[in-house]
Every structure is written in structure tokens, then in C-alpha cells.
Amino acid sequence: MEIAANNVVTMHYTLRDPDGEVLDSSEGREPLAYLHGHGNIIPGLEKQLEGKSAGESLEAHVPSAEAYGEHNPQRVVQASRSQFPQDVELKPGMRFQAETQQGPQVAVVTGIEGDTVTVDTNHPLAGVDLKFAVDVVDVREATPQELEHGHVHEGGEEQE
Ligand code: ZN
């Protein structure tokens, strides 16, 4: 069976940045299963998996625009030191959960100057081109319940 909309794809993958550094991998874990055509994974990877079958391997180069988006300078914001807990020592590189208009988001402190803290609320991989090495393990039809929910259930049925 070929990968197409409404199929469940199981795959092993390794994700690298343009320098070849491994950012994420399913190696040593259960393979990743997702429902194709439902936005479960980044669009650029989904597009390149289309038409592949179990047993196939591919190298997918996904530009940032089709991955986690471009780095948006408007999402680098200045906050006041008083907006952070007093007992926390702020350092560049520190990650925390921020409440934004788009809901909770991981943010990173990129600078501290006096009472002003610069915070980047872009996705950590925004602006990064990604390279995936993928081994397609299995392709099957989704169950009606999976299609209704828009995600994969282990074994095809909702657990709990
Ligand atoms: Zn479900």
C-alpha cells in the first residue's frame, strides 16, 4: 500500500539540522505512527512521503517555510524583569513556558539588559531547514474512529 491521505504510516526517522547535528530520532524507540493527510506532522515531510511504501527509505530535505516556519522578528519581544519570578536567575538560553495570544508556547531568553529581558517566542526550529532520513515501516488504512479523531490509535482503537 502506498502512502496517501487517510492511511496510517509507521516510520523510523532521524532529524538533522543543516550542520548534520541530530535533533531528534526514533532510533532505540518505538517507530512513529501518524495519520497521513491530517497535519499530524510538518507539511514538507508529509508531502515528500506521499506515494512511498513500506520498506522504502528516503532523505527528505524540508525548507524551514514547510517545517516550523520562518523566524518571525515580531515574535522577539521585550519584557520587564518584574514579569518573571523574583527567585529565578535569568540567563540567556533559558527556556520557559510563556502565555501568548496563540496559547502556551516555549520561549527562550535571548538577552538581558538592566531591567529589560529579550524573549524569543518563535518555535525553536523556526528558520531552520531540516533533513529527515526516513524508513517507512508500515502503511495501513486508518480505522473509522481514527479518521473521526484525526489521529492514530495504537492498535486502531482508542485506549482509555
Ligand atoms: Zn482518538
Side-chain angles (χ1 to χ4, degrees), residues 18-158:
D19 299 328
E21 190 163 333
V22 174
L23 301 174
D24 189 18
S25 176
S26 64
E27 207 180 294
R29 299 199 308 241
E30 290 293 301
L32 175 78
Y34 78 94
L35 181 58
H36 193 82
H38 291 255
N40 290 180
I41 63 170
I42 59 169
L45 180 59
E46 192 162 54
K47 199 166 76 185
Q48 294 182 50
L49 282 164
E50 186 98 16
K52 304 289 184 216
S53 315
E56 277 192 72
S57 298
L58 71 147
E59 291 275 343
H61 291 208
V62 180
S64 60
E66 293 180 20
Y68 294 97
E70 303 294 356
H71 187 266
N72 181 353
Q74 290 185 340
R75 291 178 64 176
V76 179
V77 295
Q78 314 245 281
S80 157
R81 177 67 184 85
S82 60
Q83 290 175 259
F84 295 86
Q86 282 299 328
D87 56 341
V88 172
E89 195 197 339
L90 296 178
K91 285 184 193 146
M94 177 188 272
R95 289 190 191 285
F96 63 98
Q97 186 100 322
E99 291 301 328
T100 72
Q101 285 172 334
Q102 288 83 40
Q105 240 154 8
V106 175
V108 62
V109 173
T110 56
I112 303 156
E113 212 168 306
D115 190 42
T116 305
V117 182
T118 305
V119 170
D120 189 344
T121 65
N122 283 280
H123 188 283
L125 292 177
V128 179
D129 296 330
L130 303 177
K131 287 189 205 172
F132 288 88
V134 177
D135 295 316
V136 181
V137 176
D138 185 58
V139 183
R140 66 164 167 86
E141 265 179 56
T143 65
Q145 195 190 41
E146 286 174 324
L147 291 178
E148 195 184 310
H149 290 198
H151 57 229
V152 170
H153 298 148
E154 207 176 319
E157 295 291 325
E158 187 92 271

